[in-house]
Amino acid sequence: QDQLQQKIICPGPVTCLTASPNGLYILAGVAESIYLWEVPNGNLLAILNRHYQDLTCLCFTDDSSHFLSGAKDCLALVWNLYNVLQAEPSQIPDPRHVWSRHSLPITDLCCGFGGPLARAATASLDQTAKLWEISSGELLLSVLFDVGIMAVTLDLSEYHMFCGGMDGSIFQVDLCAWPVQRDRTFQTERENGKVFKGHRNQVTCLSVSTDGSLLLSGSHDETVRLWDIQSKQCLKTMNHKGPVTNAFIVLAPANMFNPEGKPSVPLPKFSRHLHGTESSDEPGAEGVTLRLGLHQQEPGQSYLEKAERMYSQMYSTREKNLVGDQEHLTIQVSELEEEVSNLRKINKDLFDFSTRIITKPAQ
């Protein structure tokens, strides 16, 4: 029986969410902001505000050193995690790359293997999927389709890129095709052997098995389908009671079927305030030191003991002394927050209006 491990209230509706492969960090997109939490203690480490519209997708590189963000402002940003963690709370670090070649909102991101040397794929409503090099930020490939692209993924060997369209089609793009062209058009009528047909509505998510033989797809037609990549045949269809928003293939943990297997480290509630911005009068309170690399850790308390101590500290009652004009300060903060909210609404309305005008078909 599934049980709720922890209910965590976020600062706003979360539009996209991802965890680092090493399990230490969580990224969430809330409106135009990216929130970065540290999993072991729940500290909010950074709030990044470099997008101009709502976030749509987030993903980490396989070594957790970088992460990518895409939004409705047509931008995809590459962030160096180390630079984000080392930045002062009052400063917003600059992204390593800003990819601005898409002309409509970005719908999905996918990162290959190789850490900072990996390649990344982006999908957009502008009917293109693009392949980038993270190290240099260069555009390697741009493929134009006849429908908007909602999902993108790469196989493990990165021989193929799979793109899910708004009409339910899934396209297979050969990345090693000859001759090599940076700008390519996928012509469906000529590439019938490279199209998966079966979904009746837009494809929202794609995932390839580790051996590269199976493709998993989810759609708004309320089904998840498992495909044989070689033959393009649907092997299995799983029906749901609503639109499928996410589905992916993962390796089963070693203790998955062990009834005694439980998380050994308690998951704390995620903080809603930046770490270090609140002072505490509690005696014995101390900061959390970030250590990059296991060889730097000093002997002492075990990881479980430290996690237990931090967990108890977070749930202990903290008394705060009211300063003289705190009420006045609270009023000023609420007024500024209301003004920022109004400006964001104006900006969003202006963006939506401009998008409608630009994409309106000619009479």
Side-chain angles (χ1 to χ4, degrees), residues 34-95:
I34 303 171
Y35 285 74
L36 173 64
W37 280 283
E38 191 175 9
V39 174
N41 48 43
N43 285 333
L44 178 58
L45 301 180
I47 302 176
L48 306 174
N49 296 291
R50 287 299 300 265
H51 283 285
Y52 305 104
Q53 290 295 317
D54 292 354
L55 269 291
T56 56
C57 43
L58 291 163
C59 73
F60 271 96
T61 56
D62 62 322
D63 66 344
S64 305
S65 66
H66 292 71
F67 61 89
L68 288 72
S69 61
K72 292 182 179 179
D73 58 6
C74 316
L75 297 178
L77 306 182
V78 180
W79 303 85
N80 185 318
L81 180 61
Y82 176 80
N83 291 342
V84 171
L85 294 176
Q86 298 302 317
E88 294 294 330
S90 58
Q91 297 178 346
I92 299 177
D94 293 324

Side-chain angles (χ1 to χ4, degrees), residues 187-201:
Q187 297 178 341
T188 306
E189 63 276 5
R190 294 185 184 178
E191 316 231 22
N192 277 331
K194 298 178 182 176
V195 181
F196 300 79
K197 295 182 179 179
H199 284 298
R200 301 182 304 276
N201 205 333

Side-chain angles (χ1 to χ4, degrees), residues 7-230:
K7 183 177 180 180
I8 298 171
I9 305 300
C10 292
V14 176
T15 55
C16 49
L17 185 72
T18 190
S20 61
N22 60 17
L24 294 179
Y25 303 100
I26 288 284
L27 283 174
V30 178
E32 303 97 344
S33 303
I34 303 171
Y35 285 74
L36 173 64
W37 280 283
E38 191 175 9
V39 174
N41 48 43
N43 285 333
L44 178 58
L45 301 180
I47 302 176
L48 306 174
N49 296 291
R50 287 299 300 265
H51 283 285
Y52 305 104
Q53 290 295 317
D54 292 354
L55 269 291
T56 56
C57 43
L58 291 163
C59 73
F60 271 96
T61 56
D62 62 322
D63 66 344
S64 305
S65 66
H66 292 71
F67 61 89
L68 288 72
S69 61
K72 292 182 179 179
D73 58 6
C74 316
L75 297 178
L77 306 182
V78 180
W79 303 85
N80 185 318
L81 180 61
Y82 176 80
N83 291 342
V84 171
L85 294 176
Q86 298 302 317
E88 294 294 330
S90 58
Q91 297 178 346
I92 299 177
D94 293 324
R96 180 172 177 178
H97 300 300
V98 177
W99 294 334
S100 56
R101 297 288 189 93
H102 286 290
S103 56
L104 284 176
I106 291 175
T107 53
D108 197 15
L109 289 167
C110 173
C111 190
F113 285 86
L117 302 177
R119 296 184 293 180
T122 57
S124 172
L125 293 177
D126 63 6
Q127 302 185 359
T128 66
K130 300 183 188 295
L131 191 68
W132 311 80
E133 187 177 52
I134 292 180
S135 58
S136 64
E138 292 295 322
L139 176 64
L140 302 177
L141 175 68
S142 179
V143 184
L144 177 64
F145 301 87
D146 52 7
V147 295
I149 302 300
M150 302 301 298
V152 65
T153 191
L154 300 167
D155 64 358
L156 200 61
S157 59
E158 297 184 22
Y159 283 158
H160 305 291
M161 179 170 66
F162 299 92
C163 306
M166 293 192 69
D167 63 349
S169 300
I170 303 172
F171 309 100
Q172 177 181 316
V173 179
D174 294 334
L175 300 181
C176 300
W178 186 266
V180 178
Q181 296 175 315
R182 196 178 75 166
D183 295 296
R184 200 187 303 176
T185 301
F186 191 96
Q187 297 178 341
T188 306
E189 63 276 5
R190 294 185 184 178
E191 316 231 22
N192 277 331
K194 298 178 182 176
V195 181
F196 300 79
K197 295 182 179 179
H199 284 298
R200 301 182 304 276
N201 205 333
Q202 67 182 37
V203 177
T204 56
C205 49
L206 295 168
S207 181
V208 181
S209 63
T210 52
D211 63 356
S213 64
L214 300 175
L215 174 69
L216 186 74
S217 63
S219 170
H220 275 190
D221 65 6
E222 303 184 2
T223 65
V224 171
R225 291 177 180 262
L226 191 65
W227 308 83
D228 178 69
I229 293 178
Q230 188 68 28

